[in-house]
Amino acid sequence: GPLSRKITTSEFASNVTATALSSTQAQAPSRTLEESSYLNDWIAYYSIEYPPHVNYMGRKMDDKYILNAAQIALSLAKYLGRNFNQQHVDMDQTDDSRRGDVSSCISCEDIRVGNVMVKNLDSGEAVLKRTNGAASSSSNTERRQVLALGIILYELFTQGEPPPRQIQQSLKSTGSVLSFGTSLRISESNEDGDDRVTSEGSRRKNKDEEGADDNSAQESFVRKQRRRRCDEGKEESVPTLLKRAGVPSSISRLISDMLSNRDDADFGGLFQYDKSVSCFDDVIMDLEQMIDQPKDFLYDTVRLSAKPTVRNKLYSRQRELERGNELARRSAAWRHQEEADGEEYFEAALETDGSSSVKQEVLLVSGLPGSGKSSLVNELIAQLRSNGWESLHCKFDQIRRRQPLSTIASAFSRLFSSLIGTESDCAGGSDENDTLRDIRAHLLKTFDEESFSILFHLIPDLRRVVSNDYNSVDVQQMEYDEFDHGNLGFDESTVVASKIKVHNLFYEILKAISSSRIIPIVLFLDDLHWADSASLELITFLINAMGANITTDSATAVRGTNVLIIGTVRTNEAENSSDMTEFLEKIRGCYNVTVTDMALQDLSPSDINGMISESLCYSQRLTRSLAGIVHHKSEGNPFFVKEFLNDLTVENLMVYSFSERSWEWDEELIESRTISDGVAEMLTRKLLRLPKDQLLGLVMLSCFGSDVSFEVLALVKTFCGNSDIMNTLDSIAKARFVERTDEKYRFVHDMILNAAQEALDENERINIMEELLQALLPHGYSDDTVLYIVVDLIARVGADRVHDSETRLLYAQLNLTAAKKATNTTDFASALTCVKCGISFLPADYWKNCYRLSLELFNQCILVDWALGSTEQMMASVDEVFSNANGFEDTLRAAMVKLACLRMTGNRISEAFAYGFQILEQFGESFPAAPETGIIVQELLATKQLVTGSQNESKLRSLPEMTDSKKLEAMAFLEEMLMCSYQSQSIYFPLIACRMVQITLQYGLAKTSCLGLSSVALSLVTVFGNFSEGYSVSKTSLSIAGSDKRVLCSIMVSSFGVINIWKEPIQAILPQLKDAYNLSLKYGLINTALCAGMFHAYRAFFTGSLLKPLNTEVSSYMRNNLERHKRRLMHLSMLPVSNGITCLSGSSGPQYVEELITEEHLAEALQNKEFTVCEAMLTVKMMCSFIFRRLDEIKVTARQYLELFERASGASAQFINIYRNFYGGLLSLHFYRESQEQFWMDRATHAIQKMELWTAESVWNFENKLFLLQAERHYAFGEMDLAAEKYKLAESSSKKHRFIHEEALACELAAAFHKEAGDKKNVAELIDRAVECYQTWGAEGKVKSILLSP
């Protein structure tokens, strides 16, 4: 044939070789292929090596031969295509005198393919050039070169068979010249023609107009050739010949289209269109697809279905995947450097971002329904799992009424089950999995029995992790009671705290997993727009906590949190949801959190072409026009594309020919097809084609939501007369509407679920739900999952459709049960929905006909409204209860919530007092309307006699438990009133505390008895200044606190923050206050935690804790308060400390305290009667002014406020009094030295007297301060020797008792004293010591001030 005839010339032998690169040459048959051989020899050799097969279906080429030949074909096509492009560009851009020299070269590596390499042995290059040397007379058009290449491929794939003579003649008649170097020539020169015009379908336009008429004539001839059928005359058609030779249909189509340039008649197709190939790009595209995916596009694989098979593959999302991996690397790179060394994945993480900022990464993937959000994230997770990640997949449901927090809890349960399963697989004598051991250790260290009880209920598989026995359901090491909704103590006073506690439990579990043996975690929140409010609150808490608890210890840590949080959101749903908008605003405002938005765009026509091509296993060249139509119809939505293709096959607009192994379609009919409602219309039409039993099964499944477990389905297995509904669902799964996993059925896509819900009219759906209710009702009380399904179905059926009175009461009772369970798991929104639904099923005169059920429903409604902050609705329900209750006892729960609401409203304290005392009066506990000081003192003295002394303390510890129900209720109201009086600094505080102790001594210990005792201790200290007895009673209260964490935290804050500071070294108390803060946060006791944080901040600041770490802690306290709880008074109380740290450390540049704490701030706090805030501001302002020696700026303020607070505090002892007296005394002595004004000496004398009193109680805490005040007084009186001695004592006492900042102050004041006295010998040494101490403290602002002073 032409190929063998041309390549056996001497030129080819010297210039172009085929070099075998395969390592299998040594195993060749008797005839071997030489190292350098001709291409026709290669064909001959491999025709013997891989001969065709012959069976009943005819001749079939060997797959290995076909693949190798395809690689050679691709190499030639790429080479010719590149050189044609370059030649065309050069010829267009140069003048005629240079066209004869045009050539283009590529390195031989570019044409290496498989086991064959084509190269020029002389130069090492392969050159494409014209051979006639006449630039003006001969030019190869791309179409004709493709035609010539088609002949080469014909002989290559038929193992040397020549193509039909008519094809060869068509090449000769075109005057085409194709030279491969000077060796591979398939040409017969036509010196008369200038063939420069490109073919129809070529990408480029010929800019040279010379010879236009000749070109047109030649093009006309080509078109005539294209329209002729190859089987006209004696020869058979090209497709027939190729098929007979055993060439795969895909190669046959390509070669035929390269050779034909005719219509589709050669293929005998039903629908005809021009598929001729006239450019190299199309050839390369076909061959690359065949080589990359030979099973689908090259070999004649038998297709079992005449429907498109859309692959589970992402199209055009590579950039998004790369971005997701980048965020994952940032999140995973938290570990210590020595742990990260040697692991490529984590080393890459360190190079991802050179910034030093540490953030919690959150990725939000948004898009319209069907845009592939979940598919993208699932692919990303699959890639991350290959790098050692674990995932928590939370799929939220549009049917929101499920077991509260079950979506998130189930994700944790599946992860633990997976880890346990992995460990079981790896068992067999090996050591326990390090990951599980670390997780268990972290959990056992973090949680107590009550916490485990809650967690075991929410996450059942956690029990097996903690038990260290993966095959057992019981905990072996510890005895835990089953979760009991009725005994958790979820009452009115702790309902809000319980929510924070549950949130903390989930956070600690997430932290335990992500920090154990460096397991990075992906938390995937799928369909966030359908998340219930409780889940959104929990997610917000987790994101905020992950960011807020990031530490940046650059010496040891790399960075990152080891958790990547990904959420998917439907754009249209999120825009219409206020809850979602609020959620997004909150997480974007979280500290140390970076939210990355990733909006998925529609697929392009080329992306859809790739998708359709792979679905049909058909070349992209052949599906290009169809893809354009589908893109127009689907607007680039991937799910729409899939359903549209399936719909075309169902309606026979696209058919597959098994005999020809080809697809056929009518583009005009497809183009004319109208779709009004998009994919929804198609899905509904598709469902209606199902058999009746399958359609009903699908609608039934949609009543449960996006998925349903086998356990639930087993309860309704005979639904609608089915012998087993799961058999029906299996049939539906084959149609790919749902999929079956190991534990459940789930819809393939939410849009199918929506279509199933709309497939039947409302009455038919209601009938299905009523049938499901009848089957599930018997199981609703014993299974929480079933209970929430039942109440959801009840709500959707509606009260208007249920007329039987007994059924209505049953439905109301079930909703009440569900509401209580939801309240216990802090899903207050779901609880409120259940309560409202339950009330709607009550009969008309419900208070008369079902009083107890009505009372319970309204009490529950009051509780959840209070928890949700719906005060107006709550008060309406309170009035409803008060108006219809049968007695005082039935109003107590409503009364307690009302009292708490009044107390926390802020401006209704007086109303709260009046209402609370009114309730207590009915318990027989009356209080005077306006108690005099004498009554308070008398009451305190009497109670002190009952609780002080070793015998009384022993008696208190041995008291029995209180059993009188009325007294227990009274104690609960007294506790609320105690908090109310403490909050308002009322004189009732000691009276209420004493009454609680007296009831305890008479009736036994209640859980709040220790609060009363602790409050008595506080009163002894602050009112009487009786530190020793108050300290003793405080320790007793701690000993009887019991296991109630709420009460214990309150006592810890009171004891360590207010009482023990007068007796114990204050540095030892600071860790106790930090523990109280963390414990209170852990159990959701926000007010107690904020109080503990404030106490810790002030005590740490004034006692000389290092400023830099303290600043981090104070910022955390303030941030948590502002972002989570927004307690204004707490924020104002913390501001002075924060400002003081800023001023002393110089962290924000040179700022003076008078700029941070102004006179206006003090006046505003005083006007608002925020005395504690005002005193704190004054004390910090005086401290910083004195340390920076800015004394003139503070003089007026000190004169105005010092005497005021002396009178206001009287005999009381508060922590802030210590430092107000200390720095106020130092300032007063300085001003007295200047002016000799008695006012200042009176203030100083008062301060010294207080310090003497306090030093008698604790030398450690107060001695150094007293010495310094005494030194300054001696200095003011001119008693220089005594002053020098006291300065020295102050310095040594400060050093001994570890008050480094006061040591610095003592040294600085002593230096000033000695300088003034003319004794300059020790001044420099004292200043150096002062600077050293200030530097150690972190007061860089003060250090700069000293160094800059003369």
Side-chain angles (χ1 to χ4, degrees), residues 759-809:
L760 301 179
D761 63 35
E762 185 179 3
N763 289 328
E764 290 178 297
R765 289 199 308 273
I766 293 296
N767 292 336
I768 290 175
M769 287 188 280
E770 288 177 338
E771 184 175 344
L772 291 174
L773 269 174
Q774 296 307 312
L776 294 173
L777 275 175
H779 310 279
Y781 286 100
S782 58
D783 189 323
D784 285 356
T785 301
V786 176
L787 172 64
Y788 286 103
I789 293 173
V790 165
V791 295
D792 173 62
L793 292 171
I794 290 172
R796 286 193 280 160
V797 168
D800 294 340
R801 295 178 178 271
V802 180
H803 305 291
D804 180 69
S805 57
E806 290 187 4
T807 303
R808 291 177 68 92
L809 290 177

Side-chain angles (χ1 to χ4, degrees), residues 540-561:
T540 304
F541 181 90
L542 292 176
I543 292 173
N544 188 72
M546 293 302 294
N549 288 281
I550 288 174
T551 57
T552 55
D553 182 2
S554 59
T556 58
V558 180
R559 61 178 176 271
T561 62

Side-chain angles (χ1 to χ4, degrees), residues 165-186:
R165 287 192 303 274
Q166 289 178 332
I167 299 295
Q168 299 179 51
Q169 184 63 36
S170 67
L171 182 62
K172 297 176 184 178
S173 64
T174 61
S176 173
V177 179
L178 174 64
S179 297
F180 199 91
T182 57
S183 56
L184 178 60
R185 179 181 302 171
I186 303 176

Side-chain angles (χ1 to χ4, degrees), residues 939-1004:
E939 207 53 39
L940 266 175
L941 289 173
T943 306
K944 186 189 77 168
Q945 297 297 323
L946 297 172
V947 298
T948 56
S950 57
Q951 289 185 346
N952 287 331
E953 290 173 2
S954 299
K955 180 182 177 181
L956 278 167
R957 293 188 182 95
S958 60
L959 284 173
E961 185 178 343
M962 188 181 296
T963 56
D964 189 308
S965 59
K966 287 188 176 181
K967 293 303 176 183
L968 285 168
E969 294 282 2
M971 287 289 284
F973 277 92
L974 282 168
E975 179 198 0
E976 190 65 33
M977 292 298 291
L978 187 70
M979 297 298 103
C980 189
S981 58
Y982 182 81
Q983 179 181 325
S984 61
Q985 299 185 355
S986 168
I987 58 175
Y988 280 107
F989 180 79
L991 288 179
I992 296 171
C994 291
R995 186 66 56 86
M996 293 178 73
V997 172
Q998 291 163 9
I999 293 174
T1000 296
L1001 290 171
Q1002 185 175 356
Y1003 293 95

Side-chain angles (χ1 to χ4, degrees), residues 13 216 272 427 443 658 716 863 978 1054 1100:
S216 299
Q272 299 181 359
L443 296 176
F658 286 96
V716 293
L863 182 59
L978 187 70
S1054 173

Side-chain angles (χ1 to χ4, degrees), residues 149-394:
L149 179 61
I151 294 177
I152 298 175
L153 299 191
Y154 186 100
E155 295 192 28
L156 177 63
F157 283 100
T158 58
Q159 296 183 341
E161 292 292 329
R165 287 192 303 274
Q166 289 178 332
I167 299 295
Q168 299 179 51
Q169 184 63 36
S170 67
L171 182 62
K172 297 176 184 178
S173 64
T174 61
S176 173
V177 179
L178 174 64
S179 297
F180 199 91
T182 57
S183 56
L184 178 60
R185 179 181 302 171
I186 303 176
S187 65
E188 296 213 12
S189 299
N190 182 351
E191 298 180 358
D192 298 329
D194 180 7
D195 188 12
R196 193 177 301 159
V197 180
T198 57
S199 67
E200 179 182 353
S202 174
R203 303 176 315 279
R204 293 168 297 277
K205 295 181 179 180
N206 190 345
K207 299 178 182 178
D208 191 345
E209 298 296 334
E210 294 183 10
D213 294 338
D214 291 338
N215 293 338
S216 299
Q218 291 180 15
E219 284 299 312
S220 176
F221 175 81
V222 172
R223 282 194 291 272
K224 290 177 182 178
Q225 288 289 95
R226 186 179 62 186
R227 294 191 184 98
R228 293 176 184 164
R229 296 179 61 94
C230 285
D231 55 0
E232 292 177 0
K234 298 180 180 179
E235 291 186 332
E236 295 182 284
S237 66
V238 171
T240 303
L241 293 171
L242 291 171
K243 181 178 180 180
R244 182 175 298 165
V247 178
S249 56
S250 57
I251 293 291
S252 176
R253 278 192 292 270
L254 174 61
I255 295 175
S256 298
D257 292 346
M258 291 171 71
L259 298 179
S260 67
N261 275 325
R262 298 185 296 278
D263 58 29
D264 199 41
D266 285 334
F267 298 93
L270 177 62
F271 310 116
Q272 299 181 359
Y273 60 98
D274 189 356
K275 296 185 292 184
S276 60
V277 178
S278 55
C279 66
F280 284 110
D281 282 354
D282 284 347
V283 178
I284 292 169
M285 179 171 60
D286 271 22
L287 290 170
E288 282 182 336
Q289 211 169 9
M290 294 176 195
I291 292 170
D292 291 342
Q293 304 176 66
K295 182 179 178 182
D296 296 324
F297 290 95
L298 180 59
Y299 306 139
D300 277 334
T301 305
V302 178
R303 191 178 181 90
L304 301 178
S305 172
K307 291 184 178 181
T309 305
V310 180
R311 306 185 182 190
N312 186 21
K313 174 182 174 181
L314 292 176
Y315 294 88
S316 185
R317 300 296 188 211
Q318 191 57 39
R319 184 173 61 180
E320 287 83 355
L321 283 173
E322 290 173 358
R323 180 60 173 155
N325 275 293
E326 178 187 346
L327 296 177
R329 286 191 291 270
R330 289 185 193 173
S331 301
W334 69 275
R335 308 172 313 148
H336 295 290
Q337 181 66 55
E338 61 271 16
E339 295 173 345
D341 288 343
E343 299 185 30
E344 294 181 0
Y345 182 78
F346 294 102
E347 286 175 354
L350 303 181
E351 300 170 359
T352 300
D353 183 6
S355 64
S356 59
S357 59
V358 184
K359 304 289 185 181
Q360 168 60 54
E361 299 292 345
V362 178
L363 174 61
L364 286 180
V365 183
S366 61
L368 293 172
S371 58
K373 302 179 294 296
S374 300
S375 299
L376 170 67
V377 179
N378 285 327
E379 176 62 26
L380 174 60
I381 290 175
Q383 294 181 11
L384 294 177
R385 287 179 69 89
S386 67
N387 286 316
W389 286 66
E390 292 290 347
S391 64
L392 291 163
H393 187 176
C394 307

Side-chain angles (χ1 to χ4, degrees), residues 471-680:
N471 299 314
S472 170
V473 223
D474 300 321
V475 177
Q476 301 296 325
Q477 293 105 330
M478 308 172 70
E479 293 294 332
Y480 298 123
D481 296 330
E482 283 291 332
F483 183 85
D484 183 357
H485 289 280
N487 298 319
L488 278 178
F490 284 95
D491 55 30
E492 292 79 2
S493 60
T494 59
V495 66
V496 177
S498 65
K499 177 171 67 175
I500 308 299
K501 178 179 179 179
V502 170
H503 290 178
N504 273 306
L505 293 179
F506 277 101
Y507 169 67
E508 290 295 338
I509 291 180
L510 184 60
K511 192 166 68 171
I513 300 169
S514 61
S515 61
S516 298
R517 293 285 170 176
I518 313 122
I519 302 180
I521 296 292
V522 180
L523 178 55
F524 178 22
L525 308 167
D526 201 0
D527 288 334
L528 259 175
H529 46 274
W530 283 327
D532 55 277
S533 59
S535 296
L536 288 178
E537 288 180 354
L538 173 56
I539 294 164
T540 304
F541 181 90
L542 292 176
I543 292 173
N544 188 72
M546 293 302 294
N549 288 281
I550 288 174
T551 57
T552 55
D553 182 2
S554 59
T556 58
V558 180
R559 61 178 176 271
T561 62
N562 227 28
V563 176
L564 173 62
I565 300 173
I566 306 177
T568 59
V569 181
R570 282 189 181 179
T571 308
N572 55 333
E573 298 282 351
E575 291 172 350
N576 298 323
S577 170
S578 57
D579 287 346
M580 197 66 210
T581 301
E582 182 182 358
F583 165 76
L584 294 176
E585 288 178 357
K586 285 182 178 179
I587 65 171
R588 292 185 202 281
C590 288
Y591 178 75
N592 267 353
V593 173
T594 299
V595 179
T596 301
D597 292 298
M598 184 182 289
L600 297 189
Q601 304 300 320
D602 297 332
L603 298 182
S604 67
S606 61
D607 298 327
I608 290 181
N609 190 27
M611 183 179 181
I612 294 176
S613 172
E614 294 190 0
S615 302
L616 305 180
C617 294
Y618 217 48
S619 164
Q620 289 191 42
R621 171 178 59 85
L622 302 175
T623 59
R624 186 185 296 126
S625 56
L626 175 63
I629 299 172
V630 173
H631 178 266
H632 175 71
K633 296 286 185 181
S634 66
E635 298 181 346
N637 186 290
F639 185 76
F640 197 163
V641 172
K642 174 184 175 182
E643 294 303 322
F644 188 63
L645 289 177
N646 287 328
D647 210 41
L648 292 179
T649 58
V650 170
E651 296 183 4
N652 289 325
L653 294 177
M654 183 170 67
V655 296
Y656 180 71
S657 170
F658 286 96
S659 61
E660 298 295 335
R661 292 188 173 94
S662 65
W663 288 92
E664 300 165 352
W665 56 82
D666 189 325
E667 293 180 3
E668 291 184 0
L669 288 177
I670 296 172
E671 182 70 50
S672 64
R673 188 169 179 269
T674 58
I675 303 175
S676 58
D677 296 324
V679 71

Side-chain angles (χ1 to χ4, degrees), residues 852-868:
R852 188 54 56 186
L853 178 59
S854 301
L855 180 64
E856 287 194 61
L857 279 168
F858 276 95
N859 275 334
Q860 198 68 29
C861 187
I862 290 167
L863 182 59
V864 294
D865 271 331
W866 162 236
L868 291 169

